[in-house]
């Protein structure tokens, strides 16, 4: 029996790895630690909205007038939703699986700060400069002519846009322009 086992073992070969003394090659499609490319990030927050365990958070830094993108690998479940929704490829999963840190949990964080844009009507910060530039670039690619009115609209926060729409509608009803 033991000789037969020896034969089988010889036939199959080595099936274990030397890891952690040697390298360990993960399989294709392995979902490891997400990688963030600050230069590509436009601060749209799609990843933060899609992330099930809230491992990504996008907030506004009031004192510095900046938007802060923050990823906590300690909360990540490696589902790749962030990669799926990111419009610019700024976040994607890698094959990295050695995610533990020694003493400092801060080492699990990745942070990016982006310049914010304030609403031209109410002056509240509501988006990032990169996001506005991205939208303009995309619209121009679809041959939309970006006139002053459209640029102004892009620099108006959703709340003020809503108020303006209600105001216009009310005026049109009051002065009989509404049909
Ligand atoms: S892989 Fe999943 S859990 Fe991790 S940051 Fe992306 S969306 Fe969140
Ligand atoms: S979805 Fe991509 S571009 Fe948008 S905030 Fe997340 S990482 Fe940045």
């Amino acid at each position: 029996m033991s000789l037969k086992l020896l034969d089988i073992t010889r036939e199959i070969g080595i099936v274990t790895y030397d890891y952690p003394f040697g390298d360990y090659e993960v399989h294709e499609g392995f979902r490891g630690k997400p990688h963030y490319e600050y230069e590509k990030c436009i601060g749209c927050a799609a990843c933060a909205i899609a992330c099930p365990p809230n491992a990504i958070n996008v907030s506004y830094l009031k004192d510095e007038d900046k938007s802060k993108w923050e990823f906590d690998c300690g909360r990540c479940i490696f589902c790749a939703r962030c990669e799926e929704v990111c419009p610019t490829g700024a976040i994607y999963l890698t094959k990295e699986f050695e995610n533990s840190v020694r003493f400092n949990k801060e080492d699990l964080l990745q942070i990016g700060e982006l310049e914010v844009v304030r609403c031209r009507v109410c002056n509240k910060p509501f988006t990032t400069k990169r996001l506005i530039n991205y939208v303009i670039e995309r619209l121009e690619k679809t041959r939309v002519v970006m006139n002053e009115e459209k640029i102004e609209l892009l620099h108006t926060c959703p709340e003020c846009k809503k108020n303006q729409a209600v105001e216009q509608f009310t005026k049109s009803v009051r002065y009989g322009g509404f049909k």
Side-chain angles (χ1 to χ4, degrees):
M1 178 68 181
S2 58
L3 281 177
K4 195 174 176 187
L5 263 179
L6 207 61
D7 284 345
I8 294 170
T9 313
R10 260 197 221 114
E11 201 178 304
I12 293 174
I14 298 169
V15 293
T16 55
Y17 295 88
D18 288 339
Y19 184 82
F21 304 108
D23 289 340
Y24 181 77
E25 262 300 308
V26 293
H27 294 284
E28 210 43 56
F30 175 83
R31 296 193 299 209
K33 186 179 180 180
H35 176 75
Y36 173 60
E37 283 192 24
Y38 170 74
E39 289 306 326
K40 287 187 181 174
C41 182
I42 53 172
C44 66
C47 54
I49 294 163
C51 178
N54 297 328
I56 301 174
N57 187 33
V58 178
S59 56
Y60 170 59
L61 298 174
K62 209 173 167 206
D63 297 338
E64 294 164 50
D65 228 10
K66 280 186 177 151
S67 165
K68 183 179 177 191
W69 183 98
E70 192 170 1
F71 166 61
D72 182 353
C73 195
R75 298 183 71 107
C76 182
I77 56 170
F78 311 100
C79 63
R81 283 289 292 129
C82 50
E83 180 179 320
E84 279 170 36
V85 299
C86 180
T88 62
I91 189 163
Y92 53 88
L93 270 60
T94 65
K95 290 185 174 178
E96 198 179 327
F97 61 89
E98 292 172 318
N99 296 328
S100 53
V101 291
R102 272 193 110 178
F103 302 113
N104 192 358
K105 282 193 176 175
E106 299 281 302
D107 291 344
L108 291 166
L109 304 180
Q110 284 182 72
I111 292 168
E113 288 178 5
L114 302 172
E115 196 179 333
V116 291
V117 170
R118 289 176 173 271
C119 172
R120 67 178 186 91
V121 181
C122 68
N123 202 36
K124 261 195 305 203
F126 75 103
T127 189
T128 66
K129 201 171 179 181
R130 283 191 191 176
L131 182 53
I132 288 197
N133 290 340
Y134 178 81
V135 173
I136 292 173
E137 202 185 300
R138 300 292 293 207
L139 287 172
E140 281 174 347
K141 271 188 187 158
T142 54
R143 299 204 185 133
V144 172
V145 181
M146 292 308 294
N147 57 22
E148 206 176 314
E149 193 189 341
K150 286 185 187 121
I151 298 282
E152 273 184 5
L153 211 57
L154 278 177
H155 287 80
T156 310
C157 74
E159 189 69 26
C160 288
K161 270 186 207 152
K162 194 175 75 188
N163 290 341
Q164 282 175 351
V166 171
E167 208 175 297
Q168 272 170 13
F169 176 76
T170 314
K171 263 188 203 162
S172 64
V173 171
R174 188 174 296 153
Y175 299 114
F178 181 65
K179 290 175 185 145

